[in-house]
Amino acid sequence: MKKTLLALIVLMYANHFKSQESCDKLLQDGLYQKMNITTRSSFNQDLKTYFLSEDFKNDVKKGSWGGSFSIPIEGIPFSLGMNSSDEAFSNFRRKVEETTSLSININDFVNISKQLPNTSLYESYVKCKEIDSDRYRTGLVPGKKIENEETVIFTFFYRPSSPNDKAPKVKSFTIEPKSALINAGGIVEGKRIPSFLMQVVCRRSEINEIVFSLQTENGYVSDNSGPTKSSKFETPVGTIIASYLSFDRFLEALGERGVWKSSSKWAPCDGREVANSTFSKISGSSLAPDLRGVFLRGLNSFDINPPSTVKTIDTNQKDPENRIVGSLQTDDFKNHFHTTTLNVFGHRNDGYPRQEDMDPGNWGGYMKVNTDSKGGIETRPKNISIYYYIKIN
């Protein structure tokens, strides 16, 4: 009885550590996919090669690692960010080159993964740990998929119920559409699954949903990944909207939290820097438009060569200035004047002219009278104050 109990305890801990390694591998493999790191040798060596590459610098500059992050080198944290100088990157590379072995333990790696924007790597790791904590759950266990704009990784686990419990045979395995499959992870119908942790990699589509299903002799798992572009209208980059919400409330309504960075989807129209955003790449402007305190006015022409169906703009509607998008037009008042003219007669004081005064040649001249100053500090229509935001990613 004691031997049996001891064997069960040993098995429980062995499965725990085996599953722990699987969770760590899930996190590492996810990073390979997210950052397009080439697999050559060990994870630490591959990470070192990536840190020394120009790809790493470009990824940091464009915000793929978030606004800023820290990498431990021989136990000492080294910080880099989107606005780091070339000298900072040179110092980082020198430190990486000098270290004999870039060792990243799992705690360091989890902290790094937390900082990756728009990724579920860390969430997948947490989900894996949650599954690992359920020691009594055996058989085929679904994991959380990892998605980016190009690929999706479907994960699942097999938890043996005893030391003699072999990996189950595959009865059916399907990916729809079939053309989406990149790597089946060694899954073959009629054969046993090749590992207790499985990952199936597929290429995502802009319009088609990807459906994954696996039926084994000891369980069934399935999952799906939606198209990268919704069938509903998606607000394009460069769109400006008016909102009653302050920026903090606006981000909260979008489900975004944390510090704003140029990799965020929206930015306030306050002239802030958005140098690494999609908007910057398309428009050529490194700054968001500054719409504080101003109205919006449509340009006279939207196309370089407008179609014949577009009628000529009415003169009363046309902007009299030939402007480009984003240019500021200061307040103004249309040119006009108000003049009151009085004849001045110099021969009588009773208010009535003499006969000779009726001759224009004898008129004493004119006098112009200015009206009193009226009005405020600017010319404006009735309005309500509002916030403007622009889609930058």
Side-chain angles (χ1 to χ4, degrees):
M1 179 67 180
K2 289 183 179 180
K3 289 183 178 181
T4 302
L5 181 59
L6 179 61
L8 288 174
I9 293 174
V10 171
L11 174 64
M12 181 178 67
Y13 276 97
N15 284 339
H16 170 77
F17 287 115
K18 189 169 186 178
S19 181
Q20 168 69 37
E21 292 173 358
S22 297
C23 293
D24 297 349
K25 186 176 184 299
L26 175 66
L27 205 57
Q28 293 175 0
D29 288 350
L31 185 65
Y32 276 106
Q33 289 288 331
K34 174 68 180 176
M35 310 311 298
N36 294 321
I37 300 176
T38 303
T39 305
R40 291 191 177 92
S41 54
S42 67
F43 172 73
N44 284 338
Q45 185 59 45
D46 290 342
L47 199 59
K48 180 176 181 179
T49 301
Y50 170 65
F51 285 155
L52 293 173
S53 70
E54 196 67 20
D55 288 339
F56 169 69
K57 181 179 179 180
N58 293 334
D59 286 340
V60 174
K61 288 289 188 181
K62 69 183 182 181
S64 297
W65 285 91
S68 63
F69 73 105
S70 294
I71 296 289
I73 301 179
E74 296 181 347
I76 301 175
F78 193 99
S79 298
L80 286 172
M82 295 171 59
N83 298 320
S84 294
S85 63
D86 290 341
E87 183 180 359
F89 280 96
S90 297
N91 292 336
F92 173 73
R93 286 175 175 172
R94 186 163 53 252
K95 288 182 178 293
V96 172
E97 289 172 345
E98 290 173 354
T99 183
T100 55
S101 176
L102 184 66
S103 179
I104 303 291
N105 62 43
I106 191 60
N107 291 328
D108 294 331
F109 186 63
V110 168
N111 289 330
I112 294 172
S113 298
K114 285 180 183 179
Q115 301 169 72
L116 292 176
N118 303 322
T119 180
S120 56
L121 285 177
Y122 179 66
E123 293 180 6
S124 298
Y125 176 80
V126 172
K127 181 64 176 179
C128 177
K129 294 289 291 179
E130 290 174 354
I131 294 173
D132 175 60
S133 65
D134 186 3
R135 297 190 299 250
Y136 301 104
R137 187 173 183 178
T138 60
L140 213 56
V141 181
K144 189 169 184 177
K145 62 179 177 285
I146 303 172
E147 291 178 305
N148 59 36
E149 292 183 358
E150 297 180 354
T151 58
V152 55
I153 304 175
F154 298 107
T155 65
F156 64 93
F157 310 85
Y158 184 73
R159 181 71 58 77
S161 59
S162 70
N164 298 322
D165 186 6
K166 296 180 180 179
K169 289 183 178 180
V170 178
K171 298 177 69 174
S172 66
F173 168 61
T174 58
I175 294 289
E176 294 294 341
K178 295 180 181 179
S179 59
L181 182 62
I182 297 176
N183 189 336
I187 299 176
V188 179
E189 291 187 4
K191 294 187 177 182
R192 299 185 185 278
I193 59 174
S195 173
F196 287 99
L197 166 66
M198 292 299 305
Q199 297 178 343
V200 177
V201 184
C202 295
R203 183 178 295 103
R204 297 185 71 191
S205 167
E206 292 185 352
I207 57 176
N208 295 322
E209 179 185 39
I210 299 173
V211 179
F212 154 74
S213 64
L214 174 69
Q215 177 71 55
T216 72
E217 59 187 358
N218 192 12
Y220 170 81
V221 289
S222 65
D223 207 342
N224 67 290
S225 176
T228 56
K229 289 188 177 180
S230 173
S231 57
K232 297 181 180 179
F233 174 76
E234 183 176 350
T235 305
V237 168
T239 298
I240 293 174
I241 64 171
S243 174
Y244 204 83
L245 302 178
S246 67
F247 193 43
D248 290 341
R249 297 296 186 188
F250 184 76
L251 289 179
E252 185 177 336
L254 290 174
E256 296 185 12
R257 299 289 178 89
V259 180
W260 181 88
K261 45 190 176 293
S262 62
S263 58
S264 299
K265 290 185 177 181
W266 292 84
C269 293
D270 58 2
R272 69 179 59 194
E273 184 173 348
V274 291
N276 295 293
S277 65
T278 304
F279 167 76
S280 178
K281 295 174 184 176
I282 295 175
S283 68
S285 173
S286 62
L287 303 176
D290 192 348
L291 303 183
R292 293 173 294 181
V294 300
F295 299 96
L296 300 182
R297 184 175 190 177
L299 291 171
N300 292 332
S301 178
F302 289 64
D303 300 336
I304 298 176
N305 297 306
S308 57
T309 53
V310 178
K311 67 178 183 179
T312 303
I313 184 171
D314 190 289
T315 305
N316 294 323
Q317 177 180 334
K318 183 178 181 180
D319 188 336
E321 298 181 5
N322 187 21
R323 303 165 61 196
I324 62 173
V325 66
S327 60
L328 174 66
Q329 189 177 53
T330 58
D331 55 352
D332 200 358
F333 204 78
K334 188 174 182 179
N335 184 33
H336 68 289
F337 61 88
H338 301 275
T339 301
T340 300
T341 303
L342 298 177
N343 290 330
V344 179
F345 306 102
H347 299 287
R348 289 183 59 172
N349 295 323
D350 58 3
Y352 295 95
R354 295 178 300 179
Q355 182 63 38
E356 60 266 29
D357 289 333
M358 301 304 293
D359 183 356
N362 294 326
W363 290 358
Y366 300 96
M367 180 176 65
K368 294 182 179 180
V369 179
N370 294 324
T371 61
D372 293 336
S373 175
K374 298 290 185 181
I377 60 175
E378 64 176 355
T379 302
R380 63 177 178 240
K382 293 179 180 179
N383 66 87
I384 294 177
S385 57
I386 208 73
Y387 296 102
Y388 285 120
Y389 302 110
I390 184 169
K391 181 79 174 292
I392 60 172
N393 286 303

